[in-house]
Amino acid sequence: MTTNIQNALARASKIKMSVRYLGGRTYVVITPEAHRYVVRFETIEGLRYGRCQCKAGAARLACKNLAKAAAVDTGIRNSQGH
Ligand SMILES: [Zn+2]
């Protein structure tokens, strides 16, 4: 996990967003303003990559939506024993 993602995760923990699991590695993050962003993850050679639909995500920044979805993704992967 990069420092960028950890910083984004710290910010995300203060923001109330909900995450819906769509299946596979795809999530929808719903912000307090009711914006919805689709976040997708893939793992390449043991490293997790995520893409978010928002402006920050399009600029390949670790946005708070991505961080929030990453926390859920980690929880799901752990519960599956991966
Ligand atoms: Zn985003």
Side-chain angles (χ1 to χ4, degrees), residues 42-81:
E42 58 182 336
T43 300
I44 300 168
E45 293 178 358
L47 294 174
R48 179 168 60 185
Y49 294 90
R51 293 292 300 274
C52 177
Q53 281 185 325
C54 76
K55 282 183 184 172
R60 294 181 174 272
L61 299 172
C63 62
K64 57 186 184 290
N65 320 113
L66 191 61
K68 191 78 177 180
V72 176
D73 183 59
T74 298
I76 288 173
R77 306 285 282 179
N78 286 346
S79 70
Q80 289 172 339

PDB file of all heavy atoms in Angstrom, residues 42-81:
ATOM      1  N   GLU A  42      -7.755  -4.239  -9.730  1.00  0.00           N
ATOM      2  CA  GLU A  42      -7.153  -5.449 -10.266  1.00  0.00           C
ATOM      3  C   GLU A  42      -5.806  -5.638  -9.576  1.00  0.00           C
ATOM      4  O   GLU A  42      -5.194  -4.683  -9.096  1.00  0.00           O
ATOM      5  CB  GLU A  42      -6.978  -5.366 -11.783  1.00  0.00           C
ATOM      6  CG  GLU A  42      -6.136  -4.213 -12.245  1.00  0.00           C
ATOM      7  CD  GLU A  42      -6.052  -4.163 -13.764  1.00  0.00           C
ATOM      8  OE1 GLU A  42      -6.225  -5.192 -14.404  1.00  0.00           O
ATOM      9  OE2 GLU A  42      -5.792  -3.082 -14.284  1.00  0.00           O
ATOM     10  N   THR A  43      -5.390  -6.880  -9.476  1.00  0.00           N
ATOM     11  CA  THR A  43      -4.113  -7.189  -8.859  1.00  0.00           C
ATOM     12  C   THR A  43      -3.162  -7.709  -9.925  1.00  0.00           C
ATOM     13  O   THR A  43      -3.481  -8.669 -10.630  1.00  0.00           O
ATOM     14  CB  THR A  43      -4.283  -8.235  -7.738  1.00  0.00           C
ATOM     15  OG1 THR A  43      -5.174  -7.696  -6.763  1.00  0.00           O
ATOM     16  CG2 THR A  43      -2.944  -8.536  -7.071  1.00  0.00           C
ATOM     17  N   ILE A  44      -2.042  -7.028 -10.078  1.00  0.00           N
ATOM     18  CA  ILE A  44      -1.041  -7.406 -11.070  1.00  0.00           C
ATOM     19  C   ILE A  44       0.267  -7.666 -10.332  1.00  0.00           C
ATOM     20  O   ILE A  44       0.802  -6.767  -9.677  1.00  0.00           O
ATOM     21  CB  ILE A  44      -0.851  -6.299 -12.127  1.00  0.00           C
ATOM     22  CG1 ILE A  44      -2.174  -6.029 -12.849  1.00  0.00           C
ATOM     23  CG2 ILE A  44       0.257  -6.694 -13.123  1.00  0.00           C
ATOM     24  CD1 ILE A  44      -2.176  -4.785 -13.699  1.00  0.00           C
ATOM     25  N   GLU A  45       0.743  -8.900 -10.427  1.00  0.00           N
ATOM     26  CA  GLU A  45       1.991  -9.300  -9.776  1.00  0.00           C
ATOM     27  C   GLU A  45       1.990  -8.922  -8.302  1.00  0.00           C
ATOM     28  O   GLU A  45       2.963  -8.388  -7.781  1.00  0.00           O
ATOM     29  CB  GLU A  45       3.188  -8.681 -10.505  1.00  0.00           C
ATOM     30  CG  GLU A  45       3.353  -9.254 -11.911  1.00  0.00           C
ATOM     31  CD  GLU A  45       4.505  -8.610 -12.675  1.00  0.00           C
ATOM     32  OE1 GLU A  45       5.135  -7.711 -12.122  1.00  0.00           O
ATOM     33  OE2 GLU A  45       4.744  -9.037 -13.806  1.00  0.00           O
ATOM     34  N   GLY A  46       0.852  -9.172  -7.636  1.00  0.00           N
ATOM     35  CA  GLY A  46       0.762  -8.972  -6.195  1.00  0.00           C
ATOM     36  C   GLY A  46       0.468  -7.547  -5.758  1.00  0.00           C
ATOM     37  O   GLY A  46       0.303  -7.292  -4.572  1.00  0.00           O
ATOM     38  N   LEU A  47       0.402  -6.603  -6.719  1.00  0.00           N
ATOM     39  CA  LEU A  47       0.112  -5.221  -6.369  1.00  0.00           C
ATOM     40  C   LEU A  47      -1.306  -4.871  -6.796  1.00  0.00           C
ATOM     41  O   LEU A  47      -1.727  -5.213  -7.895  1.00  0.00           O
ATOM     42  CB  LEU A  47       1.095  -4.264  -7.042  1.00  0.00           C
ATOM     43  CG  LEU A  47       2.550  -4.365  -6.579  1.00  0.00           C
ATOM     44  CD1 LEU A  47       3.428  -3.467  -7.440  1.00  0.00           C
ATOM     45  CD2 LEU A  47       2.673  -3.969  -5.112  1.00  0.00           C
ATOM     46  N   ARG A  48      -2.013  -4.189  -5.919  1.00  0.00           N
ATOM     47  CA  ARG A  48      -3.386  -3.818  -6.233  1.00  0.00           C
ATOM     48  C   ARG A  48      -3.425  -2.458  -6.919  1.00  0.00           C
ATOM     49  O   ARG A  48      -2.833  -1.501  -6.466  1.00  0.00           O
ATOM     50  CB  ARG A  48      -4.217  -3.775  -4.956  1.00  0.00           C
ATOM     51  CG  ARG A  48      -5.650  -3.359  -5.247  1.00  0.00           C
ATOM     52  CD  ARG A  48      -6.530  -3.589  -4.057  1.00  0.00           C
ATOM     53  NE  ARG A  48      -6.076  -2.831  -2.904  1.00  0.00           N
ATOM     54  CZ  ARG A  48      -6.616  -2.936  -1.704  1.00  0.00           C
ATOM     55  NH1 ARG A  48      -7.598  -3.765  -1.495  1.00  0.00           N
ATOM     56  NH2 ARG A  48      -6.158  -2.222  -0.705  1.00  0.00           N
ATOM     57  N   TYR A  49      -4.159  -2.425  -8.022  1.00  0.00           N
ATOM     58  CA  TYR A  49      -4.360  -1.177  -8.742  1.00  0.00           C
ATOM     59  C   TYR A  49      -5.844  -0.873  -8.745  1.00  0.00           C
ATOM     60  O   TYR A  49      -6.669  -1.763  -8.929  1.00  0.00           O
ATOM     61  CB  TYR A  49      -3.865  -1.294 -10.181  1.00  0.00           C
ATOM     62  CG  TYR A  49      -2.372  -1.491 -10.282  1.00  0.00           C
ATOM     63  CD1 TYR A  49      -1.836  -2.779 -10.290  1.00  0.00           C
ATOM     64  CD2 TYR A  49      -1.513  -0.396 -10.348  1.00  0.00           C
ATOM     65  CE1 TYR A  49      -0.466  -2.960 -10.365  1.00  0.00           C
ATOM     66  CE2 TYR A  49      -0.146  -0.577 -10.419  1.00  0.00           C
ATOM     67  CZ  TYR A  49       0.373  -1.860 -10.430  1.00  0.00           C
ATOM     68  OH  TYR A  49       1.722  -2.049 -10.498  1.00  0.00           O
ATOM     69  N   GLY A  50      -6.165   0.405  -8.548  1.00  0.00           N
ATOM     70  CA  GLY A  50      -7.568   0.793  -8.553  1.00  0.00           C
ATOM     71  C   GLY A  50      -7.787   1.983  -9.462  1.00  0.00           C
ATOM     72  O   GLY A  50      -6.902   2.810  -9.641  1.00  0.00           O
ATOM     73  N   ARG A  51      -8.978   2.032 -10.047  1.00  0.00           N
ATOM     74  CA  ARG A  51      -9.351   3.167 -10.879  1.00  0.00           C
ATOM     75  C   ARG A  51     -10.702   3.658 -10.419  1.00  0.00           C
ATOM     76  O   ARG A  51     -11.616   2.875 -10.201  1.00  0.00           O
ATOM     77  CB  ARG A  51      -9.451   2.746 -12.352  1.00  0.00           C
ATOM     78  CG  ARG A  51      -8.129   2.350 -12.984  1.00  0.00           C
ATOM     79  CD  ARG A  51      -7.165   3.508 -13.159  1.00  0.00           C
ATOM     80  NE  ARG A  51      -7.706   4.567 -14.011  1.00  0.00           N
ATOM     81  CZ  ARG A  51      -7.622   4.574 -15.330  1.00  0.00           C
ATOM     82  NH1 ARG A  51      -7.063   3.585 -15.979  1.00  0.00           N
ATOM     83  NH2 ARG A  51      -8.101   5.577 -16.017  1.00  0.00           N
ATOM     84  N   CYS A  52     -10.801   4.982 -10.278  1.00  0.00           N
ATOM     85  CA  CYS A  52     -12.060   5.593  -9.861  1.00  0.00           C
ATOM     86  C   CYS A  52     -12.528   6.519 -10.965  1.00  0.00           C
ATOM     87  O   CYS A  52     -11.718   7.075 -11.707  1.00  0.00           O
ATOM     88  CB  CYS A  52     -11.868   6.364  -8.558  1.00  0.00           C
ATOM     89  SG  CYS A  52     -13.342   7.226  -8.014  1.00  0.00           S
ATOM     90  N   GLN A  53     -13.846   6.686 -11.070  1.00  0.00           N
ATOM     91  CA  GLN A  53     -14.428   7.518 -12.123  1.00  0.00           C
ATOM     92  C   GLN A  53     -14.313   9.013 -11.859  1.00  0.00           C
ATOM     93  O   GLN A  53     -14.572   9.802 -12.758  1.00  0.00           O
ATOM     94  CB  GLN A  53     -15.920   7.217 -12.232  1.00  0.00           C
ATOM     95  CG  GLN A  53     -16.253   5.955 -12.992  1.00  0.00           C
ATOM     96  CD  GLN A  53     -17.755   5.837 -13.146  1.00  0.00           C
ATOM     97  OE1 GLN A  53     -18.489   6.223 -12.254  1.00  0.00           O
ATOM     98  NE2 GLN A  53     -18.192   5.316 -14.266  1.00  0.00           N
ATOM     99  N   CYS A  54     -13.997   9.416 -10.624  1.00  0.00           N
ATOM    100  CA  CYS A  54     -14.030  10.850 -10.309  1.00  0.00           C
ATOM    101  C   CYS A  54     -12.845  11.580 -10.940  1.00  0.00           C
ATOM    102  O   CYS A  54     -11.951  10.961 -11.506  1.00  0.00           O
ATOM    103  CB  CYS A  54     -14.075  11.071  -8.810  1.00  0.00           C
ATOM    104  SG  CYS A  54     -12.497  10.810  -7.982  1.00  0.00           S
ATOM    105  N   LYS A  55     -12.848  12.918 -10.826  1.00  0.00           N
ATOM    106  CA  LYS A  55     -11.799  13.722 -11.466  1.00  0.00           C
ATOM    107  C   LYS A  55     -10.416  13.344 -10.944  1.00  0.00           C
ATOM    108  O   LYS A  55      -9.471  13.242 -11.712  1.00  0.00           O
ATOM    109  CB  LYS A  55     -12.051  15.213 -11.208  1.00  0.00           C
ATOM    110  CG  LYS A  55     -13.127  15.789 -12.076  1.00  0.00           C
ATOM    111  CD  LYS A  55     -13.267  17.280 -11.816  1.00  0.00           C
ATOM    112  CE  LYS A  55     -14.420  17.862 -12.628  1.00  0.00           C
ATOM    113  NZ  LYS A  55     -14.686  19.255 -12.246  1.00  0.00           N
ATOM    114  N   ALA A  56     -10.291  13.180  -9.637  1.00  0.00           N
ATOM    115  CA  ALA A  56      -8.993  12.816  -9.067  1.00  0.00           C
ATOM    116  C   ALA A  56      -8.569  11.440  -9.568  1.00  0.00           C
ATOM    117  O   ALA A  56      -7.409  11.220  -9.906  1.00  0.00           O
ATOM    118  CB  ALA A  56      -9.051  12.836  -7.550  1.00  0.00           C
ATOM    119  N   GLY A  57      -9.524  10.534  -9.640  1.00  0.00           N
ATOM    120  CA  GLY A  57      -9.216   9.188 -10.112  1.00  0.00           C
ATOM    121  C   GLY A  57      -8.779   9.184 -11.567  1.00  0.00           C
ATOM    122  O   GLY A  57      -7.865   8.463 -11.949  1.00  0.00           O
ATOM    123  N   ALA A  58      -9.412  10.041 -12.372  1.00  0.00           N
ATOM    124  CA  ALA A  58      -9.049  10.137 -13.786  1.00  0.00           C
ATOM    125  C   ALA A  58      -7.633  10.667 -13.938  1.00  0.00           C
ATOM    126  O   ALA A  58      -6.947  10.353 -14.909  1.00  0.00           O
ATOM    127  CB  ALA A  58     -10.041  11.039 -14.515  1.00  0.00           C
ATOM    128  N   ALA A  59      -7.185  11.469 -12.972  1.00  0.00           N
ATOM    129  CA  ALA A  59      -5.817  12.004 -12.975  1.00  0.00           C
ATOM    130  C   ALA A  59      -4.852  11.030 -12.304  1.00  0.00           C
ATOM    131  O   ALA A  59      -3.715  11.367 -12.033  1.00  0.00           O
ATOM    132  CB  ALA A  59      -5.781  13.356 -12.275  1.00  0.00           C
ATOM    133  N   ARG A  60      -5.360   9.807 -12.027  1.00  0.00           N
ATOM    134  CA  ARG A  60      -4.563   8.743 -11.406  1.00  0.00           C
ATOM    135  C   ARG A  60      -4.064   9.107 -10.012  1.00  0.00           C
ATOM    136  O   ARG A  60      -3.000   8.678  -9.583  1.00  0.00           O
ATOM    137  CB  ARG A  60      -3.379   8.341 -12.306  1.00  0.00           C
ATOM    138  CG  ARG A  60      -3.839   7.701 -13.609  1.00  0.00           C
ATOM    139  CD  ARG A  60      -2.669   7.291 -14.463  1.00  0.00           C
ATOM    140  NE  ARG A  60      -3.119   6.556 -15.652  1.00  0.00           N
ATOM    141  CZ  ARG A  60      -3.314   5.249 -15.675  1.00  0.00           C
ATOM    142  NH1 ARG A  60      -3.100   4.532 -14.605  1.00  0.00           N
ATOM    143  NH2 ARG A  60      -3.728   4.654 -16.774  1.00  0.00           N
ATOM    144  N   LEU A  61      -4.847   9.919  -9.307  1.00  0.00           N
ATOM    145  CA  LEU A  61      -4.530  10.221  -7.912  1.00  0.00           C
ATOM    146  C   LEU A  61      -5.276   9.235  -7.023  1.00  0.00           C
ATOM    147  O   LEU A  61      -6.305   8.686  -7.419  1.00  0.00           O
ATOM    148  CB  LEU A  61      -4.962  11.649  -7.569  1.00  0.00           C
ATOM    149  CG  LEU A  61      -4.274  12.738  -8.385  1.00  0.00           C
ATOM    150  CD1 LEU A  61      -4.911  14.088  -8.096  1.00  0.00           C
ATOM    151  CD2 LEU A  61      -2.786  12.783  -8.062  1.00  0.00           C
ATOM    152  N   ALA A  62      -4.733   9.025  -5.804  1.00  0.00           N
ATOM    153  CA  ALA A  62      -5.414   8.154  -4.849  1.00  0.00           C
ATOM    154  C   ALA A  62      -6.496   8.974  -4.161  1.00  0.00           C
ATOM    155  O   ALA A  62      -6.244   9.659  -3.188  1.00  0.00           O
ATOM    156  CB  ALA A  62      -4.420   7.600  -3.836  1.00  0.00           C
ATOM    157  N   CYS A  63      -7.692   8.950  -4.716  1.00  0.00           N
ATOM    158  CA  CYS A  63      -8.774   9.776  -4.192  1.00  0.00           C
ATOM    159  C   CYS A  63      -9.425   9.083  -3.004  1.00  0.00           C
ATOM    160  O   CYS A  63      -9.181   7.909  -2.730  1.00  0.00           O
ATOM    161  CB  CYS A  63      -9.800  10.043  -5.279  1.00  0.00           C
ATOM    162  SG  CYS A  63     -10.572   8.532  -5.876  1.00  0.00           S
ATOM    163  N   LYS A  64     -10.269   9.816  -2.296  1.00  0.00           N
ATOM    164  CA  LYS A  64     -10.898   9.255  -1.098  1.00  0.00           C
ATOM    165  C   LYS A  64     -11.899   8.161  -1.446  1.00  0.00           C
ATOM    166  O   LYS A  64     -12.103   7.245  -0.666  1.00  0.00           O
ATOM    167  CB  LYS A  64     -11.552  10.355  -0.272  1.00  0.00           C
ATOM    168  CG  LYS A  64     -12.583  11.186  -0.996  1.00  0.00           C
ATOM    169  CD  LYS A  64     -13.049  12.326  -0.100  1.00  0.00           C
ATOM    170  CE  LYS A  64     -14.160  13.131  -0.738  1.00  0.00           C
ATOM    171  NZ  LYS A  64     -13.684  13.930  -1.889  1.00  0.00           N
ATOM    172  N   ASN A  65     -12.498   8.241  -2.627  1.00  0.00           N
ATOM    173  CA  ASN A  65     -13.435   7.183  -3.045  1.00  0.00           C
ATOM    174  C   ASN A  65     -12.687   5.859  -3.185  1.00  0.00           C
ATOM    175  O   ASN A  65     -13.152   4.812  -2.746  1.00  0.00           O
ATOM    176  CB  ASN A  65     -14.090   7.529  -4.387  1.00  0.00           C
ATOM    177  CG  ASN A  65     -14.450   8.982  -4.514  1.00  0.00           C
ATOM    178  OD1 ASN A  65     -13.875   9.693  -5.323  1.00  0.00           O
ATOM    179  ND2 ASN A  65     -15.383   9.451  -3.713  1.00  0.00           N
ATOM    180  N   LEU A  66     -11.511   5.958  -3.819  1.00  0.00           N
ATOM    181  CA  LEU A  66     -10.687   4.781  -4.045  1.00  0.00           C
ATOM    182  C   LEU A  66     -10.250   4.182  -2.699  1.00  0.00           C
ATOM    183  O   LEU A  66     -10.286   2.970  -2.505  1.00  0.00           O
ATOM    184  CB  LEU A  66      -9.467   5.188  -4.873  1.00  0.00           C
ATOM    185  CG  LEU A  66      -8.593   4.094  -5.459  1.00  0.00           C
ATOM    186  CD1 LEU A  66      -9.390   3.230  -6.403  1.00  0.00           C
ATOM    187  CD2 LEU A  66      -7.427   4.719  -6.198  1.00  0.00           C
ATOM    188  N   ALA A  67      -9.861   5.053  -1.777  1.00  0.00           N
ATOM    189  CA  ALA A  67      -9.401   4.585  -0.469  1.00  0.00           C
ATOM    190  C   ALA A  67     -10.517   3.873   0.283  1.00  0.00           C
ATOM    191  O   ALA A  67     -10.305   2.828   0.901  1.00  0.00           O
ATOM    192  CB  ALA A  67      -8.882   5.760   0.352  1.00  0.00           C
ATOM    193  N   LYS A  68     -11.708   4.452   0.190  1.00  0.00           N
ATOM    194  CA  LYS A  68     -12.846   3.853   0.880  1.00  0.00           C
ATOM    195  C   LYS A  68     -13.164   2.470   0.300  1.00  0.00           C
ATOM    196  O   LYS A  68     -13.354   1.500   1.027  1.00  0.00           O
ATOM    197  CB  LYS A  68     -14.062   4.784   0.747  1.00  0.00           C
ATOM    198  CG  LYS A  68     -15.221   4.415   1.613  1.00  0.00           C
ATOM    199  CD  LYS A  68     -14.975   4.850   3.036  1.00  0.00           C
ATOM    200  CE  LYS A  68     -16.194   4.531   3.912  1.00  0.00           C
ATOM    201  NZ  LYS A  68     -15.955   4.946   5.295  1.00  0.00           N
ATOM    202  N   ALA A  69     -13.209   2.407  -1.024  1.00  0.00           N
ATOM    203  CA  ALA A  69     -13.488   1.130  -1.678  1.00  0.00           C
ATOM    204  C   ALA A  69     -12.369   0.121  -1.409  1.00  0.00           C
ATOM    205  O   ALA A  69     -12.636  -1.072  -1.249  1.00  0.00           O
ATOM    206  CB  ALA A  69     -13.670   1.335  -3.189  1.00  0.00           C
ATOM    207  N   ALA A  70     -11.122   0.615  -1.315  1.00  0.00           N
ATOM    208  CA  ALA A  70      -9.988  -0.280  -1.064  1.00  0.00           C
ATOM    209  C   ALA A  70     -10.129  -0.946   0.300  1.00  0.00           C
ATOM    210  O   ALA A  70      -9.805  -2.131   0.458  1.00  0.00           O
ATOM    211  CB  ALA A  70      -8.673   0.498  -1.147  1.00  0.00           C
ATOM    212  N   ALA A  71     -10.621  -0.187   1.280  1.00  0.00           N
ATOM    213  CA  ALA A  71     -10.806  -0.757   2.618  1.00  0.00           C
ATOM    214  C   ALA A  71     -11.835  -1.884   2.575  1.00  0.00           C
ATOM    215  O   ALA A  71     -11.654  -2.937   3.198  1.00  0.00           O
ATOM    216  CB  ALA A  71     -11.238   0.332   3.599  1.00  0.00           C
ATOM    217  N   VAL A  72     -12.908  -1.675   1.813  1.00  0.00           N
ATOM    218  CA  VAL A  72     -13.936  -2.708   1.680  1.00  0.00           C
ATOM    219  C   VAL A  72     -13.392  -3.904   0.905  1.00  0.00           C
ATOM    220  O   VAL A  72     -13.611  -5.060   1.278  1.00  0.00           O
ATOM    221  CB  VAL A  72     -15.192  -2.134   0.984  1.00  0.00           C
ATOM    222  CG1 VAL A  72     -16.227  -3.217   0.746  1.00  0.00           C
ATOM    223  CG2 VAL A  72     -15.781  -1.011   1.822  1.00  0.00           C
ATOM    224  N   ASP A  73     -12.648  -3.608  -0.167  1.00  0.00           N
ATOM    225  CA  ASP A  73     -12.048  -4.667  -0.985  1.00  0.00           C
ATOM    226  C   ASP A  73     -11.129  -5.537  -0.137  1.00  0.00           C
ATOM    227  O   ASP A  73     -11.168  -6.767  -0.215  1.00  0.00           O
ATOM    228  CB  ASP A  73     -11.274  -4.030  -2.144  1.00  0.00           C
ATOM    229  CG  ASP A  73     -10.683  -5.062  -3.091  1.00  0.00           C
ATOM    230  OD1 ASP A  73     -11.464  -5.849  -3.658  1.00  0.00           O
ATOM    231  OD2 ASP A  73      -9.456  -5.083  -3.266  1.00  0.00           O
ATOM    232  N   THR A  74     -10.321  -4.891   0.708  1.00  0.00           N
ATOM    233  CA  THR A  74      -9.415  -5.635   1.586  1.00  0.00           C
ATOM    234  C   THR A  74     -10.204  -6.535   2.526  1.00  0.00           C
ATOM    235  O   THR A  74      -9.856  -7.705   2.720  1.00  0.00           O
ATOM    236  CB  THR A  74      -8.544  -4.650   2.398  1.00  0.00           C
ATOM    237  OG1 THR A  74      -7.752  -3.900   1.485  1.00  0.00           O
ATOM    238  CG2 THR A  74      -7.621  -5.387   3.362  1.00  0.00           C
ATOM    239  N   GLY A  75     -11.285  -5.998   3.086  1.00  0.00           N
ATOM    240  CA  GLY A  75     -12.108  -6.782   3.994  1.00  0.00           C
ATOM    241  C   GLY A  75     -12.719  -7.993   3.313  1.00  0.00           C
ATOM    242  O   GLY A  75     -12.729  -9.094   3.867  1.00  0.00           O
ATOM    243  N   ILE A  76     -13.205  -7.809   2.082  1.00  0.00           N
ATOM    244  CA  ILE A  76     -13.808  -8.914   1.337  1.00  0.00           C
ATOM    245  C   ILE A  76     -12.753  -9.953   0.991  1.00  0.00           C
ATOM    246  O   ILE A  76     -12.970 -11.154   1.150  1.00  0.00           O
ATOM    247  CB  ILE A  76     -14.508  -8.384   0.059  1.00  0.00           C
ATOM    248  CG1 ILE A  76     -15.772  -7.628   0.468  1.00  0.00           C
ATOM    249  CG2 ILE A  76     -14.845  -9.531  -0.890  1.00  0.00           C
ATOM    250  CD1 ILE A  76     -16.453  -6.910  -0.675  1.00  0.00           C
ATOM    251  N   ARG A  77     -11.598  -9.506   0.511  1.00  0.00           N
ATOM    252  CA  ARG A  77     -10.528 -10.441   0.153  1.00  0.00           C
ATOM    253  C   ARG A  77     -10.087 -11.241   1.378  1.00  0.00           C
ATOM    254  O   ARG A  77      -9.878 -12.444   1.292  1.00  0.00           O
ATOM    255  CB  ARG A  77      -9.314  -9.699  -0.429  1.00  0.00           C
ATOM    256  CG  ARG A  77      -9.663  -8.804  -1.592  1.00  0.00           C
ATOM    257  CD  ARG A  77      -9.930  -9.573  -2.866  1.00  0.00           C
ATOM    258  NE  ARG A  77      -8.688 -10.010  -3.497  1.00  0.00           N
ATOM    259  CZ  ARG A  77      -8.666 -10.728  -4.626  1.00  0.00           C
ATOM    260  NH1 ARG A  77      -9.796 -11.079  -5.197  1.00  0.00           N
ATOM    261  NH2 ARG A  77      -7.529 -11.080  -5.151  1.00  0.00           N
ATOM    262  N   ASN A  78      -9.953 -10.548   2.531  1.00  0.00           N
ATOM    263  CA  ASN A  78      -9.523 -11.239   3.744  1.00  0.00           C
ATOM    264  C   ASN A  78     -10.550 -12.287   4.163  1.00  0.00           C
ATOM    265  O   ASN A  78     -10.194 -13.394   4.575  1.00  0.00           O
ATOM    266  CB  ASN A  78      -9.309 -10.232   4.884  1.00  0.00           C
ATOM    267  CG  ASN A  78      -8.043  -9.426   4.685  1.00  0.00           C
ATOM    268  OD1 ASN A  78      -7.210  -9.768   3.864  1.00  0.00           O
ATOM    269  ND2 ASN A  78      -7.914  -8.341   5.435  1.00  0.00           N
ATOM    270  N   SER A  79     -11.828 -11.946   4.049  1.00  0.00           N
ATOM    271  CA  SER A  79     -12.871 -12.866   4.481  1.00  0.00           C
ATOM    272  C   SER A  79     -12.940 -14.089   3.555  1.00  0.00           C
ATOM    273  O   SER A  79     -13.431 -15.135   3.932  1.00  0.00           O
ATOM    274  CB  SER A  79     -14.229 -12.152   4.533  1.00  0.00           C
ATOM    275  OG  SER A  79     -14.676 -11.854   3.235  1.00  0.00           O
ATOM    276  N   GLN A  80     -12.436 -13.923   2.310  1.00  0.00           N
ATOM    277  CA  GLN A  80     -12.404 -15.049   1.375  1.00  0.00           C
ATOM    278  C   GLN A  80     -11.140 -15.868   1.516  1.00  0.00           C
ATOM    279  O   GLN A  80     -10.974 -16.872   0.838  1.00  0.00           O
ATOM    280  CB  GLN A  80     -12.502 -14.526  -0.076  1.00  0.00           C
ATOM    281  CG  GLN A  80     -13.881 -13.974  -0.414  1.00  0.00           C
ATOM    282  CD  GLN A  80     -13.902 -13.303  -1.767  1.00  0.00           C
ATOM    283  OE1 GLN A  80     -12.873 -12.909  -2.298  1.00  0.00           O
ATOM    284  NE2 GLN A  80     -15.076 -13.172  -2.349  1.00  0.00           N
ATOM    285  N   GLY A  81     -10.229 -15.415   2.377  1.00  0.00           N
ATOM    286  CA  GLY A  81      -9.009 -16.156   2.634  1.00  0.00           C
ATOM    287  C   GLY A  81      -7.919 -15.930   1.620  1.00  0.00           C
ATOM    288  O   GLY A  81      -6.980 -16.720   1.533  1.00  0.00           O
TER     289      GLY A  81
END
